[in-house]
Amino acid sequence: MNPIANKYFLDAPQWNEELIELRKIVLGSQLTEMIKWGVPCYVFQESNVVLLGAFKAFCSISFFKGSLMKDPNGILLKPGENSQSARMIKFTHLDQIRELEPVIKTYILEAIEIEKTGLKPIVDKSMELAFPEELLQILDKDAAFKAAFAALTPGRQRGYNLFFTAAKQPATRISRIEKYRQQILDGKGINDCTCGLSKKMPSCDGSHKAIR
């Protein structure tokens, strides 16, 4: 149990009991608890394996290489339409977690074994991002900004790219890129508050202050 992670579980105004229950299950494995992207992340030998999350409609446990898992119970879901390797299990009630506890433990063990073998998901190259010309030009001129953008997770890069490319005019695209420059340099996603949490998550009120 990582003391730094305690704050996340104490501050979560919703799904508090469910998240604590999921935490107990995950901590019973060989994984090490950390905080990454403002949420509890569990790693095996420095490799990310499991992530816990809280959203408005549900809480979840996510597996970074879930696409490689067998999933005989058919409970692993894609976090988003464009997700490739990650898979999650959603929960809306504490009883669901307790009923599925043996299954969750089995899935965690399988995820660890996948990590031990060094297997990597097959990435669909057709889903690779096509960045707007304005962003590419700015990245080429600013080495620090380019390094910061490259260091973002694929999901964060995709989020920014969708927002930038949604603008029809080049000037608007440039304006959007400049507006989020510092946030990118800070290693945060487009939906991340400066408090380190996501504005989509109930533990942040969207004004860059964690809800107490």
Side-chain angles (χ1 to χ4, degrees):
M1 185 177 293
N2 189 333
I4 298 177
N6 290 339
K7 186 176 182 296
Y8 175 87
F9 295 95
L10 292 174
D11 287 351
Q14 190 177 7
W15 312 116
N16 185 271
E17 291 184 340
E18 288 81 2
L19 288 169
I20 290 174
E21 192 70 19
L22 286 172
R23 186 190 196 190
K24 290 178 181 177
I25 295 173
V26 181
L27 287 176
S29 66
Q30 308 171 41
L31 301 178
T32 300
E33 184 175 59
M34 303 179 70
I35 287 290
K36 293 187 178 184
W37 312 290
V39 298
C41 181
Y42 300 84
V43 306
F44 177 77
Q45 296 181 353
E46 300 185 359
S47 295
N48 301 324
V49 178
V50 171
L51 202 70
L52 298 185
F55 302 85
K56 290 183 179 180
F58 61 88
C59 64
S60 66
I61 179 171
S62 300
F63 299 88
F64 282 85
K65 295 182 179 179
S67 62
L68 297 177
M69 297 170 63
K70 298 176 182 177
D71 190 24
N73 297 277
I75 55 177
L76 292 179
L77 305 171
K78 282 188 173 185
E81 182 181 348
N82 296 317
S83 299
Q84 295 207 50
S85 60
R87 296 291 185 273
M88 66 163 49
I89 306 175
K90 297 180 180 180
F91 302 99
T92 56
H93 199 282
L94 183 61
D95 289 341
Q96 291 177 309
I97 298 173
R98 289 174 174 167
E99 290 175 8
L100 280 175
E101 181 173 349
V103 175
I104 297 171
K105 288 181 177 179
T106 300
Y107 278 37
I108 293 173
L109 291 176
E110 182 184 358
I112 294 173
E113 288 303 312
I114 288 173
E115 205 57 52
K116 287 180 178 179
T117 61
L119 290 175
K120 295 183 179 181
I122 298 175
V123 177
D124 183 358
K125 297 295 183 180
S126 66
M127 293 181 67
E128 288 186 345
L129 299 180
F131 298 119
E133 184 62 29
E134 294 78 13
L135 176 60
L136 293 175
Q137 290 178 2
I138 293 174
L139 293 175
D140 285 340
K141 294 178 182 178
D142 191 331
F145 185 57
K146 184 176 183 178
F149 190 84
L152 294 173
T153 62
R156 282 190 167 98
Q157 289 187 8
R158 184 175 298 278
Y160 280 118
N161 196 53
L162 288 173
F163 180 65
F164 296 155
T165 56
K168 295 182 179 180
Q169 299 298 324
T172 306
R173 290 194 287 271
I174 293 173
S175 175
R176 290 186 177 187
I177 294 168
E178 292 300 330
K179 178 180 178 180
Y180 283 91
R181 172 185 290 273
Q182 189 57 52
Q183 194 153 320
I184 292 172
L185 288 171
D186 292 338
K188 301 182 185 301
I190 195 169
N191 291 309
D192 291 346
C193 281
T194 54
C195 65
L197 301 174
S198 172
K199 288 183 283 188
K200 291 183 178 180
M201 300 173 64
S203 51
C204 177
D205 66 1
S207 63
H208 307 304
K209 295 180 180 179
I211 296 174
R212 297 292 185 267

